[in-house]
Amino acid sequence: MAAASTTITRTLLLFSSFKTSLTSSSSSFHNFPKLPFSPFKTTTSTYTYCCYHSSTQSQSQSSPPPRLNNNNNVIEILQQRGLIESLTSPDLHDAVVSSSPLKVYCGFDPTAESLHLGNLLGIIVLSWFHRLGHHPVALIGGATARVGDPSGKSLERPDLDLDSLRRNTLGIQSTIATILSGNSVILNNYDWWKEVKLLDFLKDVGKYARVGTMMAKESVKKRLESEQGMSYTEFTYQLLQGYDFLHLYKNEGVRVQIGGSDQWGNITAGTELIRKVLQVEKGAYGLTFPLLLKSDGTKFGKSEDGAIWLSPAMLSPYKFYQYFFSVPDSDVVRFLKMLTFLEMEEIGELEREMGRVGYVPNTAQRRLAEEVTRFVHGEEGLMEAIKATKALRPGAETKLDWETIEGIAEDVPSCSFKYDQVVNVQLVELSVSAGLFESKSAARRLLKQGGLYLNNSRVDGEDKRIEAEDIVDGKVILLSAGKKNKVLVRIS
Ligand SMILES: Nc1ncnc2c1ncn2[C@@H]1O[C@H](COP(=O)(O)OP(=O)(O)OP(=O)(O)O)[C@@H](O)[C@H]1O
Ligand SMILES: N[C@@H](Cc1ccc(O)cc1)C(=O)O
């Protein structure tokens, strides 16, 4: 016991010597109540490790359970919405209502310039905790991204150079700050990891980690079976994330870690370390949510083609809105529950309406697109998306302006011509040189069928020539063949 006591004291001295340079917003931690445990407790822990899997999830996906009026239990709310896969202990149900507000963290490794729709789930769950009076903490994995999380990956992650890491960190930090509108503290784990010395880590943390337990994690088992195997670097990832939780628990009073279901092994590595190193019987909890899947069963991620990025620089609010506007009916109710904060009654009503005669197609999708776009891109982003959607519908009455057209520029092919190459030129000819048609005869055919549009107005006359007034704000022309194919012509 004396030896254990010495080790723990040394461990704590080591921890307290870490300098945590927090972001300025971390001052909001100051009024948080003290932790209900003594870090110097040295008795052997008798805590039995408990994994609690939600049993109501599939039920909540098919038909909405009755809403619990004035329910302030965030776990029940998340369960109703299909946002809980597993909890490390059912005690979390009580902890969220009985004690003071809890600090809850979710980590994001900056492995791309932007977060994507799959990552949005973590932000939504953090936001639910905030709505119910708790304190969200978003952690950027500046250190862990250098190692690479093997969870759910069949191959070793490529190395990230420091410039990309910096750029990615700035990008996702700004997205989180915008979406959570300053309601969360944002930390970067590089701030403590840069101080950690390997020998101290092995002695004071590694000692508590059992290799057998580490090998049994899903992320490791899968990779060991693969041809490529696994590097020691990636093998240690679970310990790094586990140590983050320990650090945040001890230094910031963070009590809960949330993450996608693929994070279970990393999250339980943290609760285990807290139990062993700090000898805390209860008090640290993990919660995972299911991975967001498309109707074909594949997950939303960044590796797939056409990732749904959250950064407007990588996917315009217009395209983002369009994505949700066109999700299949089979997905829309599930998405409304998981991705919006609409009341369950309203979602239930929309679901019932969908089955009624006279239902206007896409009503539920429109509601989904509005809610998610507003949450991610704000009211302004939503307005931009709605305006562009209306204006860009061929035949729409809304007059096009240059900004609206430029708003979709990245999403449609574009080309550039000199003023003289455009004005007085036949529309049919310009449509071919802009690449909208392969031949003038194909352009004429569609024009005769009423499918050729100039700045969204249908063109009837075969001999139509471009006039100066057709150039929107003196800068661009939008040519459309039918509803989908568009080309933007910039005038240089
Ligand atoms: N579709 C999803 N649904 C819910 N959570 C997700 C989803 N995709 C990713 N996440 C969560 O976001 C975290 C970061 O994702 P990660 O970088 O590991 O994978 P990814 O962005 O999906 O990458 P890739 O597309 O390369 O697999 C993960 O820990 C995971 O829990
Ligand atoms: N492992 C998480 C990110 C993360 C990093 C550090 C943490 O402490 C928590 C979570 C991911 O893959 O995205």
Side-chain angles (χ1 to χ4, degrees), residues 17-29:
S17 72
F18 292 163
K19 268 188 255 121
T20 50
S21 61
L22 308 175
T23 58
S24 53
S25 53
S26 66
S27 57
S28 61
F29 276 140

Side-chain angles (χ1 to χ4, degrees), residues 105-168:
Y105 103 92
C106 183
F108 305 90
D109 275 352
T111 47
E113 265 182 78
S114 167
L115 294 176
H116 57 74
L117 184 57
N119 305 134
L120 185 62
L121 248 57
I123 301 181
I124 287 173
V125 174
L126 283 182
S127 186
W128 271 115
F129 270 93
H130 177 252
R131 280 157 200 251
L132 275 296
H134 302 283
H135 302 301
V137 175
L139 176 75
I140 314 258
T144 33
R146 295 180 189 211
V147 171
D149 187 352
S151 313
K153 293 271 171 288
S154 51
L155 292 173
E156 188 108 358
R157 289 191 184 248
D159 274 347
L160 266 176
D161 62 87
L162 291 185
D163 275 349
S164 310
L165 201 64
R166 249 176 249 125
R167 205 175 36 247
N168 297 351

Side-chain angles (χ1 to χ4, degrees), residues 19 53 68-69 77 80 82 158 269 278 281 310 335 345 348 369 402 429 435 464 468 474 478 482:
K19 268 188 255 121
H53 288 267
L68 305 170
N69 281 328
I77 290 173
Q80 286 181 354
L278 300 180
E281 308 247 336
L310 305 188
F335 284 6
E345 283 108 329
W402 168 70
E429 199 177 318
K464 164 71 187 167
L478 184 68

Side-chain angles (χ1 to χ4, degrees), residues 2 24 112 188 203:
S24 53
N188 189 326
K203 190 150 58 78

Side-chain angles (χ1 to χ4, degrees), residues 62-82:
S62 52
S63 63
R67 182 174 163 248
L68 305 170
N69 281 328
N70 301 323
N71 189 1
N72 63 352
N73 187 321
V74 64
I75 302 299
E76 283 174 12
I77 290 173
L78 293 173
Q79 222 153 21
Q80 286 181 354
R81 311 189 73 102

Side-chain angles (χ1 to χ4, degrees), residues 105 107-109 139 141 144 149 189 237 241 244 257 263 266:
Y105 103 92
F108 305 90
D109 275 352
L139 176 75
T144 33
D149 187 352
N189 63 11
Y237 189 96
Q241 188 163 331
D244 279 346
Q257 183 180 177
Q263 294 298 301
N266 296 337

Side-chain angles (χ1 to χ4, degrees), residues 2-39:
S5 173
T6 318
T7 309
I8 289 162
T9 312
R10 229 185 293 124
T11 306
L12 290 162
L13 285 176
L14 168 75
F15 288 152
S16 51
S17 72
F18 292 163
K19 268 188 255 121
T20 50
S21 61
L22 308 175
T23 58
S24 53
S25 53
S26 66
S27 57
S28 61
F29 276 140
H30 288 164
N31 297 329
F32 202 72
K34 280 238 167 304
L35 289 173
F37 69 89
S38 156

Side-chain angles (χ1 to χ4, degrees), residues 218-258:
E218 211 45 47
S219 57
V220 176
K221 266 198 306 197
K222 264 202 204 138
R223 286 284 291 280
L224 289 183
E225 284 158 13
S226 75
E227 210 176 295
Q228 202 199 22
M230 181 180 222
S231 71
Y232 174 72
T233 307
E234 285 202 352
F235 179 60
T236 60
Y237 189 96
Q238 53 180 286
L239 269 192
L240 303 199
Q241 188 163 331
Y243 176 73
D244 279 346
F245 196 4
L246 175 71
H247 173 90
L248 292 170
Y249 185 91
K250 188 180 167 294
N251 295 288
E252 309 295 348
V254 171
R255 303 273 304 275
V256 186
Q257 183 180 177
I258 63 161

